[in-house]
Amino acid sequence: MNKTRKVSRNRPIPEAFRGKVYLDPTYDPAFKELFDSEDALRDFLDGVLGLEGDDKIKTLRFSFDKAVLFRVPQRSKVVFDIFATTGSGRFLNVEMQRLENDFFVDRTILYKAFLVIKGRKEMEISPEFKALTPEQQRYRRYLLPETISIWICDFDLPDAKGEYRDEWALYSRHAVREGKTVPLSGKNRYIFLSVPNFTKSADEVDCAADVWLYLLNHARDGGELPDFGSGIVEDALERIRVENADDELLQAQELNMTTKEDYESWMAGKVIKARAEGEIVGESRGKAEAEKKASDRTAKRIDYLRSMGVSEEIIAGAAAIK
């Protein structure tokens, strides 16, 4: 059954969204609206993890934009798009990544390191762990919970070009050489999903994972989408329907059409490559070339945003990103 949404809108729907039925959930604001329900996120996770029957997630707690802070020794922070914990003691982060960059693999490993430490700290303060005797706790001082990083990518996967799903884990080189491909630990998983490489039609969708990948890939097409007979999916689609979006969501979605963090990460890799290839030589020449490239990048960014129908106010803010 559809949830009634009270819409507060004081300005017309931006040009970028006119004629569209849904907001594009590969952008951060709509992505979080799509999964802003325990039922929706649990259905997605059950599908991606292949959980069925009694193995399905029973209880789930989650938060968006979860900042995880540590001192190692300097203050360090990562922000998970979605941080979730299950009643069975799993810890998960779900990330939506629109742009590919040269540090993508490094970033996934860094995020996973923070997730493992966060999971361990959360486990230590759980009622179950605290109920153990001091001796039992000491015995488990290296015990780690199950942690799963899920990366939803709007591009080809790093080592599985053309495929829409890949998994990473920790393997013994010797075991692999002997033909044994069982991970050293089942608690440490990376799952990667490529949205554009998911090419199944609506008729070919046959599991929960397929349903959510289909929505992520086709919500941006402009037209109505099937709910696949699921009230959970129906509600999720209503949350990203353009006519249901208030001003705050529309503005956030419009601004997020160009993200500073992803752009800077992508550019950092390009600059390093340019230097390695000798494109930036000499201080004065390098400065002139850098300024010209910066100007060209800004012009291309503005042209792209205008082609998407983004307002001039948002374009002005995007153009100011250096």
Side-chain angles (χ1 to χ4, degrees):
M1 181 176 179
N2 288 344
K3 295 178 181 177
T4 303
R5 182 186 179 99
K6 184 178 180 180
V7 178
S8 173
R9 189 181 298 125
N10 299 314
R11 66 188 182 106
I13 292 176
E15 183 64 32
F17 310 126
R18 293 177 194 168
K20 301 281 189 180
V21 176
Y22 307 104
L23 298 174
D24 183 348
T26 64
Y27 286 100
D28 192 64
F31 175 73
K32 288 165 184 163
E33 281 291 315
L34 184 71
F35 289 111
D36 193 13
S37 154
E38 181 181 337
D39 288 339
L41 185 57
R42 185 170 55 228
D43 192 60
F44 168 76
L45 293 175
D46 280 340
V48 171
L49 300 178
L51 303 177
E52 297 181 349
D54 292 339
D55 292 330
K56 284 188 174 184
I57 296 170
K58 309 278 190 308
T59 60
L60 182 73
R61 299 193 311 274
F62 69 97
S63 60
F64 296 122
D65 296 326
K66 177 72 173 180
V68 182
L69 304 170
F70 296 104
R71 289 191 177 277
V72 285
Q74 298 85 9
R75 187 172 184 268
S76 299
K77 178 178 80 169
V78 300
V79 179
F80 297 137
D81 285 350
I82 302 176
F83 173 72
T85 62
T86 71
S88 60
R90 287 189 182 97
F91 294 84
L92 308 100
N93 70 296
V94 183
E95 307 296 325
M96 181 67 235
Q97 183 77 8
R98 278 190 54 84
L99 298 178
E100 186 176 14
N101 63 72
D102 293 320
F103 303 109
F104 176 65
V105 173
D106 289 355
R107 184 180 178 188
T108 63
I109 294 172
L110 178 64
Y111 272 50
K112 186 56 180 290
F114 274 76
L115 179 64
V116 170
I117 296 171
K118 176 67 174 174
R120 168 67 196 191
K121 291 173 71 70
E122 293 281 337
M123 185 184 74
E124 287 176 341
I125 62 175
S126 68
E128 294 80 10
F129 195 84
K130 285 186 172 182
L132 299 173
T133 66
E135 182 180 356
Q136 290 172 327
Q137 291 182 12
R138 283 194 299 273
Y139 176 74
R140 292 165 174 77
R141 63 186 179 276
Y142 296 123
L143 176 68
L144 293 177
E146 182 180 358
T147 55
I148 305 171
S149 289
I150 300 173
W151 290 80
I152 305 170
C153 306
D154 203 25
F155 49 84
D156 252 333
L157 302 179
D159 202 39
K161 305 297 184 185
E163 299 293 328
Y164 73 84
R165 179 175 177 132
D166 194 16
E167 287 202 36
W168 299 351
L170 187 64
Y171 296 91
S172 157
R173 180 179 294 179
H174 173 76
V176 171
R177 190 165 56 241
E178 295 295 315
K180 302 172 184 176
T181 56
V182 178
L184 289 173
S185 172
K187 296 179 179 181
N188 181 37
R189 297 176 66 187
Y190 297 76
I191 298 175
F192 297 88
L193 304 168
S194 172
V195 173
N197 287 344
F198 183 82
T199 58
K200 290 185 180 181
S201 68
D203 291 337
E204 294 171 322
V205 165
D206 61 3
C207 64
D210 283 1
V211 167
W212 294 102
L213 282 171
Y214 185 89
L215 300 184
L216 285 162
N217 198 20
H218 293 287
R220 54 190 167 191
D221 291 349
E224 288 281 354
L225 293 178
D227 59 25
F228 299 98
S230 167
I232 294 172
V233 171
E234 183 182 11
D235 286 344
L237 287 173
E238 289 303 305
R239 287 194 296 274
I240 62 169
R241 190 177 288 273
V242 171
E243 66 182 24
N244 291 342
D246 57 22
D247 283 344
E248 183 179 359
L249 176 56
L250 291 176
Q251 286 177 315
Q253 179 82 353
E254 192 176 16
L255 181 60
N256 203 255
M257 284 179 162
T258 178
T259 61
K260 184 175 181 179
E261 180 181 345
D262 285 339
Y263 181 78
E264 287 180 339
S265 182
W266 177 78
M267 277 309 304
K270 298 303 179 185
V271 169
I272 289 173
K273 279 188 174 180
R275 285 176 177 165
E277 295 168 0
E279 292 183 11
I280 301 176
V281 291
E283 184 175 349
S284 60
R285 179 182 172 188
K287 183 177 180 181
E289 289 186 3
E291 290 175 349
K292 184 178 184 304
K293 288 182 179 180
S295 177
D296 291 344
R297 289 196 304 268
T298 299
K300 288 180 180 178
R301 189 189 311 155
I302 290 173
D303 288 343
Y304 171 75
L305 293 175
R306 283 190 176 133
S307 73
M308 294 290 293
V310 178
S311 71
E312 290 299 320
E313 178 183 357
I314 299 298
I315 289 174
I321 298 174
K322 301 299 183 183

